[in-house]
Amino acid sequence: MDNIKDRKWHLTEDGEVLLFDKPYRWTSFDLVNKFRYWACRRLGVKKLKVGHAGTLDPLATGLMIICTGRCTKQLDTLQQGKKEYIATLKLGQTTPSFDLETEPDAEYPTEHITEQLISEVLPKFVGIIEQTPPAYSAIRVDGKRAYALARKGREVNLKPRLLVVEEIELLSTDLPEIIIRVVCSKGTYIRALARDIGVALGSGAHLTALRRTRIGEYRIEDAYPIELLDELLKRYVEPLPKEEKDGK
């Protein structure tokens, strides 16, 4: 892959594919909007075509692919890439959102859960599986986002979807908490996977941390911290000449 860190960024016209590490509690649009705002200021233009290749929940961190200019045409292709996540699950407890966005709503037994049981259950989620998305998701229901309805206390019924989980690896066990690595297809909700793993263990579960580490060939190790954006733009982006600004 081209090492973009060794050359100037050409954000307009042909555009660039850039990797950023989304911070905790930022929405995907927060990151895109911040990038667009500061990039436009650096270039001296009012508009810049910017898009991202796949959202991350506000409480998740990790890899986001930002495309500019003509590279935005690659977004659909980039979104099809395999995703890799590191997920921390708390067993014995659920929340309505299946993460820390909402308060716990039920407690379940965990005394029977062992590392051996976990190791026997996880492979059952590898392959083509059927998954019902969480109510707290961006899926549209009657023209509105499901999470908007769920936050208002409305009942949200979403249809199951077929997806592919290629790998699940148990990284650590410190009951009632486990950490897993998941490689999956587009459209997989790791929060829903946590929910279903909890049920399969005869208990409940929700996410307490989630980090996306890979999208296709792109890896988090090559991503920039968004906190360095201003410095990066000064280093890699040249302001446009006046005649080019006037033509934008």
Side-chain angles (χ1 to χ4, degrees):
M1 186 172 61
D2 180 28
N3 188 351
I4 197 168
K5 296 184 179 182
D6 293 336
R7 62 176 177 81
K8 293 294 184 180
W9 297 353
H10 302 287
L11 301 180
T12 60
E13 301 298 334
D14 289 342
E16 298 285 0
V17 176
L18 301 171
L19 312 182
F20 285 97
D21 189 344
K22 187 188 82 66
Y24 184 68
R25 287 199 176 279
W26 281 45
T27 68
S28 301
F29 292 107
D30 287 338
L31 191 147
V32 170
N33 289 338
K34 181 179 179 69
F35 177 87
R36 181 188 289 112
Y37 174 79
W38 287 106
C40 284
R41 289 197 58 167
R42 177 61 178 166
L43 290 166
V45 299
K46 293 183 179 180
K47 295 181 180 181
L48 179 66
K49 186 180 291 186
V50 182
H52 68 80
T55 60
L56 268 178
D57 288 340
L59 300 188
T61 65
L63 182 61
M64 281 194 62
I65 301 176
I66 301 296
C67 294
T68 74
R70 293 193 186 99
C71 283
T72 55
K73 295 179 180 179
Q74 301 179 33
L75 289 174
D76 287 343
T77 300
L78 291 170
Q79 289 184 41
Q80 303 304 319
K82 300 174 188 175
K83 314 295 193 303
E84 180 184 75
Y85 298 91
I86 304 298
T88 303
L89 284 63
K90 182 176 181 180
L91 306 178
Q93 192 178 72
T94 58
T95 70
S97 59
F98 303 113
D99 65 5
L100 296 179
E101 179 183 342
T102 52
E103 295 296 320
D105 61 353
E107 303 284 338
Y108 298 86
T110 59
E111 295 80 6
H112 64 287
I113 299 176
T114 63
E115 186 167 343
Q116 180 178 347
L117 177 61
I118 296 167
S119 297
E120 292 172 356
V121 164
L122 291 183
K124 297 178 181 179
F125 291 92
V126 176
I128 300 175
I129 66 171
E130 187 176 78
Q131 183 186 82
T132 301
Y136 285 75
S137 66
I139 295 173
R140 289 193 178 275
V141 179
D142 297 329
K144 297 183 178 180
R145 298 292 186 183
Y147 63 73
L149 299 174
R151 287 170 183 163
K152 292 179 180 180
R154 298 268 300 277
E155 184 176 349
V156 179
N157 295 311
L158 300 175
K159 295 180 180 180
R161 298 178 170 187
L162 289 179
L163 49 87
V164 178
V165 175
E166 293 200 358
E167 300 177 48
I168 296 184
E169 178 185 4
L170 180 62
L171 298 180
S172 71
T173 305
D174 185 14
L175 296 173
E177 188 175 270
I178 63 173
I179 300 177
I180 61 175
R181 182 182 67 89
V182 181
V183 178
C184 56
S185 64
K186 174 188 176 183
T188 305
Y189 284 90
I190 307 299
R191 287 180 289 130
L193 185 62
R195 170 200 66 201
D196 296 341
I197 289 172
V199 172
L201 289 170
S203 184
H206 67 281
L207 286 183
T208 56
L210 181 65
R211 184 162 177 77
R212 185 160 66 195
T213 52
R214 180 162 62 92
I215 302 175
E217 65 178 301
Y218 299 97
R219 296 181 177 275
I220 189 63
E221 291 84 1
D222 297 319
Y224 295 106
I226 195 66
E227 294 82 1
L228 298 180
L229 179 58
D230 186 41
E231 177 185 335
L232 293 167
L233 290 171
K234 290 177 180 177
R235 184 186 307 173
Y236 296 120
V237 177
E238 297 291 344
L240 291 178
K242 184 177 186 303
E243 57 272 18
E244 289 191 41
K245 295 179 188 178
D246 293 342
K248 300 299 173 186

